Amino acid sequence: MEGSEELESNLLTKPWASVCFGESAFLAKVCFRDTGYILLISDLSSVWYESADTEAVGQRSKDLNKRLTVHVSSFLHHLCDLMSPLLAGQSDTTTSFSCHRTAGGLSLHVKSTLSGLPFYWKFHCCPAPVEMVSRHLVRPLIRMSLALQYQVQELTSLLLQKDAEIEDYRENGATLSRDRLRTEPFQEELFQQNFMAESLPQICGVAEGQAFASALQQLYTAVTQQEAKQSRKRQRSDDTEGPTPAAETTGHPHPPPPSQEDETASSSEGTTPASSPAQKLRLPVAKAKPKKAKGLFS
């Protein structure tokens, strides 16, 4: 049976979606299974969540829908069907959502129909723990920023290579058949200056609820899938590695004293500063090499 930890692991690879309740914009993600659900929602000031198993779902469904006598799994599938259009940005006139903030959390109310009868549901969300916020929002955003930085550097390198290729054609007598296709050589520093002065203010002015466009949702999913894969590898490694057997350590309870050669080598190594992790993670900046003219257009 899936527990809350496995539900959250499945939630990790779900992308954030922009949703609106009245005039309030939120980011939300949810995972439904036959064993329960977990919902995560944020207004970028606070983050709330609710995790409910089948027992909690069954009890709440009895309290809110006394006329409905369907199996708990049917409630969960119906909730999933109601939430999916909302997260996909599609409108459903037969379903209404409303959000209410409370002193200790946030409540999301759902009104719809099931088997021809009124259907009501309330998500009772409490503040999410710091580790959950870090896992689902902070760490993925940092990794996404790093991935986008790599992507920009690769595109910059490609542009410089294309400029070198075009210059090689020109030096060999090639001309454009349509002058409107002419471009100026790419200047990375000038591009960065124009981006900071013109594009960045427009990006920062976008409404908070539009934080995850479709392309960023795909990148978020790809990043979190990698994290989930690495987490599974670490878990398997921890499961296979046991404590060190006592027999391996009883033979030499104390390490032998270092020899003179070892001390000399250790002293010489100590004078060389070790490279820091930050230096190893430094992103490479590719430089384009001008291509040698081949005389193809002479």
Side-chain angles (χ1 to χ4, degrees), residues 202-274:
Q202 297 178 7
I203 296 172
C204 293
V206 174
E208 290 182 346
Q210 303 299 320
F212 276 85
S214 58
L216 289 180
Q217 287 181 332
Q218 295 176 5
L219 179 58
Y220 178 91
T221 300
V223 165
T224 52
Q225 284 176 344
Q226 289 298 319
E227 178 174 350
K229 185 184 299 183
Q230 294 172 6
S231 178
R232 288 193 295 269
K233 287 182 179 178
R234 288 193 298 267
Q235 183 64 39
R236 287 196 296 267
S237 177
D238 293 341
D239 292 341
T240 55
E241 290 180 2
T244 303
E248 295 182 5
T249 59
T250 54
H252 298 283
H254 300 288
S259 62
Q260 185 174 1
E261 289 95 353
D262 294 337
E263 291 180 352
T264 305
S266 176
S267 174
S268 62
E269 289 173 359
T271 59
T272 304

Side-chain angles (χ1 to χ4, degrees), residues 34-84:
D34 289 337
T35 54
Y37 68 80
I38 183 169
L39 168 70
L40 200 56
I41 185 169
S42 172
D43 61 356
L44 298 185
S45 294
S46 301
V47 182
W48 303 272
Y49 87 107
E50 184 190 28
S51 180
D53 57 15
T54 53
E55 183 179 355
V57 172
Q59 183 58 50
R60 192 177 305 173
S61 64
K62 292 178 182 178
D63 297 338
L64 297 176
N65 305 280
K66 300 183 183 301
R67 299 172 60 187
L68 290 172
T69 57
V70 297
H71 195 268
V72 173
S73 61
S74 298
F75 277 109
L76 289 168
H77 285 291
H78 187 59
L79 279 173
C80 181
D81 292 339
L82 296 179
M83 293 293 291
S84 295

Side-chain angles (χ1 to χ4, degrees), residues 168-227:
D168 182 69
Y169 291 153
R170 288 175 178 170
E171 290 177 354
N172 285 277
T175 58
L176 284 172
S177 59
R178 289 168 287 183
D179 194 63
R180 61 183 177 82
L181 298 178
R182 185 179 302 277
T183 58
E184 296 297 326
F186 177 74
Q187 300 180 33
E188 183 178 0
E189 185 175 350
L190 179 61
F191 172 80
Q192 292 289 354
Q193 292 175 356
N194 292 337
F195 177 83
M196 293 294 183
E198 300 173 6
S199 301
L200 190 61
Q202 297 178 7
I203 296 172
C204 293
V206 174
E208 290 182 346
Q210 303 299 320
F212 276 85
S214 58
L216 289 180
Q217 287 181 332
Q218 295 176 5
L219 179 58
Y220 178 91
T221 300
V223 165
T224 52
Q225 284 176 344
Q226 289 298 319
E227 178 174 350

Side-chain angles (χ1 to χ4, degrees), residues 125-147:
C125 302
C126 62
V130 174
E131 169 57 27
M132 178 179 283
V133 176
S134 177
R135 188 183 186 199
H136 290 269
L137 198 57
V138 178
R139 292 205 300 264
L141 287 178
I142 292 175
R143 291 189 173 97
M144 288 170 66
S145 298
L146 184 61

